[in-house]
Amino acid sequence: MPPLDDLFSLPATTDLRRRRTTAIHRVLGTNAPASTPLSYALAHHWLEGAEAAARSADGTLLAWYRHATASDTARLRTDPGDKIPIVVNPKPEQLHRSALAATPYYVINPETTPASPPALEQVRNGLASAVSAGFGTLLRDHAPIICLLKRKTLHDTLLSWTITRLPGTVFTDYTNHPVVLARDLIHEAGHNWLNDALAACHVTIPDDRHFYSPWRATKRPAFGFLHACWAFPLTVLYAARVASTAPAEVRDFLTAHLRPQAEQLAQARDSFQIAITLVDHDDLRRRMTEIFATAVSITAAQPT
């Protein structure tokens, strides 16, 4: 398998970001900024916020979203030269729910403030762990905005998600352990990567094919099944690479993560071989197959 940074570098997604960023700013009536992963993610926040402001007839807020610039987000960085993503920590009551989906989300707005310095430090250390394991390109390009949600312990259920309307944004609970935060950032950035890759490669997954997903213990549409077969193997690769050097409590947590993954990947393997044929793009199909096969090999070698 090639280095992970090479595997996550897909030129077509760079073109997709540029086109979509330009199109959104054209709709907003503003000049598009230089195309970067952050400007792409922010453009979708501006579009989502502008639509909500227009629906509520809030002219002041609509004007802010239409003319938001880099200076409006510079305040979200405690250090202007900091290279880590924009990190915010919204309160639960600040999350929105769309009529289209129940998944809560947060949109950057004029009142948004940066996360606290300790939270920023945890993200910084988590990113360092991800970079050391080969996931730097993935997080740089597909998680430039991080919404930290609830602080929990390793014994709690950790929730994380992305939504297609806000590509490049990751929502996640977090603990006191940056190595664990990195795992969840990788999982969700993987979803963002695959959404962009499918769109950039003009791949449409038919919605009439379903496969049993051991991660959900139910049949899922091929699109969701393939997402699981991509994002969970990424966490396997990460956990296997960092577990041995992690503190004892975190090592036990990551090892416990790998055990069920072995069974779930084995259960999904035959269905994956069929579902991946629905990805009608040779290069993208190859990348997804390599990640899945590598994760299967890793988990198969783990002690039970």
Side-chain angles (χ1 to χ4, degrees):
M1 188 178 73
L4 289 177
D5 279 337
D6 290 345
L7 191 145
F8 295 128
S9 297
L10 187 62
T13 61
T14 301
D15 295 337
L16 177 78
R17 286 197 298 267
R18 176 183 52 78
R19 294 195 306 272
R20 286 185 170 177
T21 301
T22 300
I24 288 173
H25 281 274
R26 185 181 301 119
V27 169
L28 295 175
T30 56
N31 293 325
S35 180
T36 65
L38 179 58
S39 68
Y40 173 64
L42 285 172
H44 287 81
H45 278 256
W46 301 160
L47 181 64
E48 188 73 24
E51 180 183 5
R55 289 182 181 277
S56 62
D58 188 334
T60 300
L61 185 58
L62 176 60
W64 187 87
Y65 279 115
R66 289 191 60 204
H67 301 291
T69 64
S71 62
D72 293 301
T73 54
R75 62 188 173 78
L76 298 179
R77 297 184 182 279
T78 54
D79 177 1
D82 206 335
K83 298 298 184 183
I84 71 169
I86 285 178
V87 184
V88 298
N89 189 195
K91 297 179 175 61
E93 62 268 22
Q94 293 175 310
L95 299 180
H96 306 285
R97 281 178 170 80
S98 166
L100 301 176
T103 305
Y105 64 98
Y106 178 79
V107 177
I108 290 175
N109 61 74
E111 306 302 320
T112 301
T113 58
S116 67
L120 291 173
E121 185 63 19
Q122 180 158 174
V123 170
R124 186 177 290 106
N125 292 335
L127 292 176
S129 178
V131 168
S132 70
F135 293 87
T137 295
L138 175 67
L139 294 188
R140 181 198 67 202
D141 290 351
H142 299 280
I145 299 176
I146 297 172
C147 289
L148 297 177
L149 301 172
K150 296 179 180 179
R151 182 186 290 274
K152 297 182 176 179
T153 74
L154 288 179
H155 303 291
D156 296 322
T157 299
L158 300 176
L159 302 178
S160 64
W161 61 84
T162 57
I163 63 172
T164 55
R165 297 194 312 283
L166 295 176
T169 298
V170 169
F171 300 87
T172 184
D173 292 336
Y174 61 110
T175 69
N176 290 326
H177 305 284
V179 174
V180 175
L181 174 61
R183 181 203 64 166
D184 297 334
L185 294 177
I186 287 167
H187 180 93
E188 300 304 337
H191 285 305
N192 284 337
W193 184 94
L194 185 55
N195 282 333
D196 281 355
L198 291 170
C201 296
H202 308 288
V203 175
T204 300
I205 306 298
D207 57 12
D208 60 346
R209 300 291 299 276
H210 293 73
F211 300 90
Y212 177 78
S213 171
W215 295 279
R216 293 281 186 91
T218 187
K219 277 197 168 185
R220 298 195 69 197
F223 179 83
F225 175 75
L226 285 168
H227 260 277
C229 290
W230 168 255
F232 281 106
L234 294 179
T235 68
V236 167
L237 269 66
Y238 170 74
R241 291 184 176 194
V242 303
S244 63
T245 58
E249 184 180 15
V250 175
R251 182 171 63 250
D252 291 344
F253 177 87
L254 295 175
T255 301
H257 171 70
L258 289 173
R259 282 195 291 268
Q261 291 301 316
E263 181 178 349
Q264 289 159 338
L265 287 167
Q267 290 176 2
R269 182 165 46 194
D270 290 345
S271 292
F272 175 76
Q273 299 304 322
I274 300 171
I276 195 63
T277 64
L278 302 175
V279 179
D280 188 21
H281 188 279
D282 291 345
D283 187 29
L284 180 55
R285 186 171 60 251
R286 174 188 60 80
R287 294 171 191 238
M288 296 176 67
T289 300
E290 287 180 350
I291 287 292
F292 187 88
T294 302
V296 168
S297 298
I298 288 172
T299 55
Q302 293 292 314
T304 57

